[in-house]
Amino acid sequence: MTRHGAEVRVARYPDGAVTPEDFEIVEVPVGHPGPGQVLVRNTWTSVDPGLRLRLRADAPAGYFAAFPLGKAMDGVMAVGEVVESRADGFAPGDLVSHAQGWREYAVVDPAAVQLGGVGTLTRLDAGVAEPQVFLGPLGGMGLTAYAGLHVVDALRGGETVWVSAAAGAVGSLAVQIAKLCGNRVIASAGSDEKVAWLRDELGVEAFNYRDGLDDRLRAVAPDGIDVYFDSVGSDHLEAALDHLNRRGRVAMCGSIAEYDSGPKGPRNLFLAVSKDLTLRGFRGSSNLHLMAEMQGRISAWLRSGELVHRETVFTGLDSAPRALAAMIAGDTTGKTLVSIG
Amino acid sequence: MTRHGAEVRVARYPDGAVTPEDFEIVEVPVGHPGPGQVLVRNTWTSVDPGLRLRLRADAPAGYFAAFPLGKAMDGVMAVGEVVESRADGFAPGDLVSHAQGWREYAVVDPAAVQLGGVGTLTRLDAGVAEPQVFLGPLGGMGLTAYAGLHVVDALRGGETVWVSAAAGAVGSLAVQIAKLCGNRVIASAGSDEKVAWLRDELGVEAFNYRDGLDDRLRAVAPDGIDVYFDSVGSDHLEAALDHLNRRGRVAMCGSIAEYDSGPKGPRNLFLAVSKDLTLRGFRGSSNLHLMAEMQGRISAWLRSGELVHRETVFTGLDSAPRALAAMIAGDTTGKTLVSIG
């Protein structure tokens, strides 16, 4: 019997906003694992802002290399169940994470280092959390939030931290980790519903950036901010540079405001000189040494109920393109996920 | 007898390039020092790129606040000789530095902290170096070069460091300090004469940025750069972001390319995320704790001849506006100074 499974392919690079028509869903035969490989049936796959960067003909080679047209999309996180194994240490029924998502079945080589290690085939402890949590708080999202606060020395607490895109997968974790570490946290998002969630559920000061970044920051942080956690770039980064205090820091993990429109540099970057500011770009995966520490702290906070997580779930692999478009448009809250069969 | 002395005042804020007509030279009566004050006859005054930032009606308050029109320009470094003292620790004949340059005589209060401490009235050891050297390698220029390399961890050596504006006061020191600390140094400047000086006198690889930043960097550093020392901003900073290696760092101490034209943000700042880059803005004066260490090392290198310094000297206070215009236009090499009577 030959198994078949669906996979998502890029049909064309979007011109402006991503639409489902930029993708095609194709049913393909599923191979058996070769020596040292495992076959995984994916049950959840991740929807990440960074995917947008790879939907470009002119994407530079390297970390955000273009997805090739007409092929399965490599380098996207998934969790699933091992169905066949020819690799030591993996057996049918194991819960695993890896980087060959956006398809129903994947043949995975445990020896291949994926996404800087974050996406390398990993056995997960099903007793710790539900499977999809390893794509969110206990996976790359948790690592990105935790590492971002680490690289700007904001885990020690006692400062004022602004987190943008704060209702998103990484932002909502950065908000809560920063608060649990003893900082005063200011959160911003793009809808009143998200702002209400941030205030009521996460218990932080929050504002809708559409009401005016500069005015709202001045009102909520008249004494300035010390740290800015940036997933947005563009006007948000400029506002942060304006409102940062002396020796302030920016953790830069993305610039979603620029992914459709193209890049904009902050026109007030010179303030970094006059205010002794540090801007640190980082990948979560460059901080794998923090993974165990992060998982230990976050799983304890999840158990105690001190940290909550929210998911926006789309059902069925064919909803993945729609999920990506919705996420980039700001229409999802928390971690955006696709549940597969 | 009432002493008289000349002072430079801003007559109008320049529209585009600085011209001598933007200033006026006025002869004013010189007061006697009050209790706790000293009267200094300035012998050298400094010409710094940062002055351009203060020649704007719309300069923000703070570190680079606008010079008021029709008044002496405060916050500009000078060295001179005490001629009258009513302050403990200062006597006629003392060589001193302070922040009331661009005038022939200044009444200075030793208790006033100027320019973050760098400009506070300080007695200098005339045996160590010629007076004007305290406006260059042994003063704020040396501190800025040394601190910039320090904040991006480039004093430990072993890396490839690109210094722009490398024939300038700060750049030429950064080049030499980085090299003496064991880095491979690449220097850029805007004329073939400067490039020849960098190659022949400072002994580093050098190129003229007008020959094409991207091409020249690719040719001279095919394996990329680890550190970029930025005094230029604009296209130089963009080129650096393109050519920096993983975990590269930028020390940002100014952006002279933008001072006349207005600010431009780097359009490829997102590379900071994918390459784990750190951009650190800094003021020399925020690193006063390094002053003694810097002076110790640089004075030893000056004595041994391992570090050289070049000066472009204009004679007479009335040449100061012309000196500033020439420096911003890139027509000076090394430290730009005005010798006063």
Side-chain angles (χ1 to χ4, degrees):
Chain A
M1 167 202 109
T2 302
R3 242 191 215 101
H4 282 75
E7 66 183 32
V8 184
R9 296 175 175 182
V10 181
R12 65 178 184 208
Y13 298 115
D15 178 19
V18 174
T19 64
E21 290 68 41
D22 300 319
F23 299 87
E24 56 189 349
I25 317 284
V26 182
E27 196 81 8
V28 294
V30 175
H32 290 282
Q37 296 182 327
V38 302
L39 175 66
V40 181
R41 182 176 66 80
N42 290 333
T43 52
W44 293 88
T45 194
S46 188
V47 181
D48 306 298
L51 303 186
R52 178 64 184 90
L53 292 171
R54 302 183 57 193
L55 295 169
R56 306 185 177 282
D58 61 352
Y63 191 56
F64 290 111
F67 289 117
L69 297 179
K71 288 189 169 180
M73 296 155 64
D74 275 317
V76 189
M77 292 299 298
V79 294
E81 188 184 315
V82 173
V83 289
E84 287 180 46
S85 176
R86 296 182 67 187
D88 289 343
F90 295 91
D94 281 354
L95 178 67
V96 292
S97 67
H98 61 88
Q100 280 152 268
W102 285 50
R103 72 196 77 176
E104 290 180 326
Y105 287 90
V107 173
V108 186
D109 184 341
V113 175
Q114 299 276 315
L115 298 180
V118 168
T120 304
L121 186 70
T122 304
R123 257 183 21 166
L124 305 173
D125 184 346
V128 168
E130 292 183 293
Q132 77 279 14
V133 176
F134 291 96
L135 296 177
L138 294 180
M141 304 298 112
L143 184 61
T144 300
Y146 196 81
L149 294 169
H150 169 80
V151 298
V152 295
D153 200 20
L155 294 174
R156 64 186 159 90
E159 295 185 298
T160 298
V161 177
W162 173 30
V163 180
S164 62
V170 169
S172 61
L173 295 171
V175 160
Q176 295 179 85
I177 297 167
K179 181 167 177 257
L180 286 161
C181 288
N183 295 289
R184 178 182 172 222
V185 179
I186 294 160
S188 63
S191 77
D192 291 343
E193 187 271 336
K194 290 178 180 177
V195 168
W197 178 67
L198 291 161
R199 278 197 193 122
D200 301 342
E201 297 296 318
L202 303 194
V204 296
E205 293 163 274
F207 67 87
N208 186 333
Y209 71 80
R210 297 178 207 270
D211 294 341
L213 280 168
D214 193 59
D215 285 352
R216 300 309 301 142
L217 279 171
R218 197 183 313 280
V220 74
D223 295 327
I225 57 175
D226 303 304
V227 169
Y228 170 52
F229 192 104
D230 185 31
S231 312
V232 178
S234 195
D235 56 343
H236 280 62
L237 181 54
E238 289 190 348
L241 293 169
D242 281 338
H243 288 268
L244 277 162
N245 294 324
R246 280 289 298 283
R247 301 185 190 279
R249 292 92 67 203
V250 179
M252 301 192 294
C253 75
S255 47
I256 194 167
E258 303 170 14
Y259 290 174
D260 279 342
S261 64
K264 295 178 192 129
R267 290 161 297 180
N268 56 352
L269 184 60
F270 184 76
L271 290 171
V273 176
S274 57
K275 296 201 283 190
D276 290 292
L277 306 181
T278 297
L279 287 78
R280 294 203 66 171
F282 70 101
R283 306 180 192 174
S285 60
S286 298
N287 296 273
L288 274 183
H289 62 289
L290 297 172
M291 184 69 112
E293 175 183 320
M294 176 283 287
Q295 288 180 327
R297 296 184 78 173
I298 290 190
S299 58
W301 286 326
L302 284 169
R303 276 195 304 276
S304 68
E306 290 171 282
L307 187 144
V308 299
H309 68 108
R310 190 163 159 181
E311 297 165 351
T312 300
V313 177
F314 291 74
T315 303
L317 183 64
D318 56 356
S319 68
R322 198 154 38 84
L324 180 62
M327 187 197 56
I328 292 173
D331 296 336
T332 64
T333 305
K335 176 63 188 167
T336 303
L337 292 162
V338 174
S339 154
I340 311 175
Chain B
M1 167 201 111
T2 302
R3 243 191 214 100
H4 282 74
E7 66 183 31
V8 184
R9 296 175 175 182
V10 181
R12 65 178 184 206
Y13 299 115
D15 178 21
V18 174
T19 64
E21 290 68 40
D22 299 319
F23 300 86
E24 56 188 351
I25 317 283
V26 182
E27 195 82 7
V28 295
V30 174
H32 290 283
Q37 296 181 328
V38 302
L39 176 66
V40 180
R41 182 175 66 80
N42 290 333
T43 53
W44 293 87
T45 194
S46 188
V47 180
D48 307 299
L51 303 186
R52 178 64 184 89
L53 292 172
R54 302 183 58 194
L55 296 169
R56 304 185 178 283
D58 61 352
Y63 192 56
F64 289 111
F67 288 117
L69 297 178
K71 288 188 169 179
M73 295 156 65
D74 275 317
V76 189
M77 293 299 297
V79 294
E81 187 184 317
V82 174
V83 289
E84 288 181 45
S85 175
R86 296 182 66 187
D88 289 343
F90 296 92
D94 282 354
L95 179 67
V96 292
S97 66
H98 61 88
Q100 280 152 267
W102 285 50
R103 70 196 79 177
E104 290 180 327
Y105 287 90
V107 173
V108 186
D109 183 342
V113 176
Q114 300 274 315
L115 297 180
V118 168
T120 303
L121 186 70
T122 303
R123 258 182 23 165
L124 306 173
D125 184 346
V128 168
E130 291 183 296
Q132 77 280 13
V133 176
F134 291 96
L135 296 177
L138 294 180
M141 303 299 111
L143 185 61
T144 300
Y146 196 82
L149 295 169
H150 169 80
V151 298
V152 294
D153 200 20
L155 293 174
R156 65 188 158 88
E159 296 185 297
T160 299
V161 177
W162 173 30
V163 179
S164 63
V170 169
S172 61
L173 295 171
V175 160
Q176 296 179 85
I177 297 167
K179 180 167 177 257
L180 286 160
C181 288
N183 295 289
R184 178 181 173 224
V185 179
I186 293 159
S188 63
S191 79
D192 291 342
E193 187 271 338
K194 290 178 180 179
V195 168
W197 178 67
L198 290 163
R199 279 197 193 122
D200 301 341
E201 297 295 318
L202 304 194
V204 296
E205 293 163 274
F207 66 89
N208 186 334
Y209 71 80
R210 297 178 207 269
D211 294 340
L213 279 168
D214 192 59
D215 285 352
R216 301 306 303 140
L217 278 171
R218 197 183 312 280
V220 74
D223 296 327
I225 58 175
D226 302 305
V227 169
Y228 170 52
F229 192 105
D230 185 31
S231 311
V232 178
S234 195
D235 56 342
H236 280 62
L237 181 54
E238 288 189 350
L241 292 169
D242 281 338
H243 288 268
L244 277 162
N245 294 326
R246 280 290 297 284
R247 301 185 192 278
R249 291 92 67 203
V250 179
M252 301 192 293
C253 76
S255 47
I256 195 166
E258 304 170 16
Y259 290 175
D260 279 342
S261 63
K264 295 178 193 127
R267 289 161 298 180
N268 56 352
L269 183 60
F270 184 76
L271 290 171
V273 177
S274 57
K275 296 201 284 191
D276 290 293
L277 306 180
T278 298
L279 288 79
R280 293 203 66 172
F282 71 101
R283 307 180 191 174
S285 60
S286 299
N287 296 274
L288 274 183
H289 62 288
L290 297 172
M291 183 69 110
E293 175 182 320
M294 175 282 288
Q295 287 179 328
R297 296 184 78 174
I298 290 190
S299 58
W301 286 326
L302 285 169
R303 275 196 305 276
S304 69
E306 292 171 281
L307 187 143
V308 300
H309 67 108
R310 189 162 160 182
E311 297 164 351
T312 300
V313 176
F314 292 75
T315 303
L317 183 64
D318 55 357
S319 68
R322 200 155 38 85
L324 179 63
M327 187 197 55
I328 292 174
D331 296 336
T332 65
T333 305
K335 176 63 188 166
T336 304
L337 292 161
V338 174
S339 153
I340 311 174

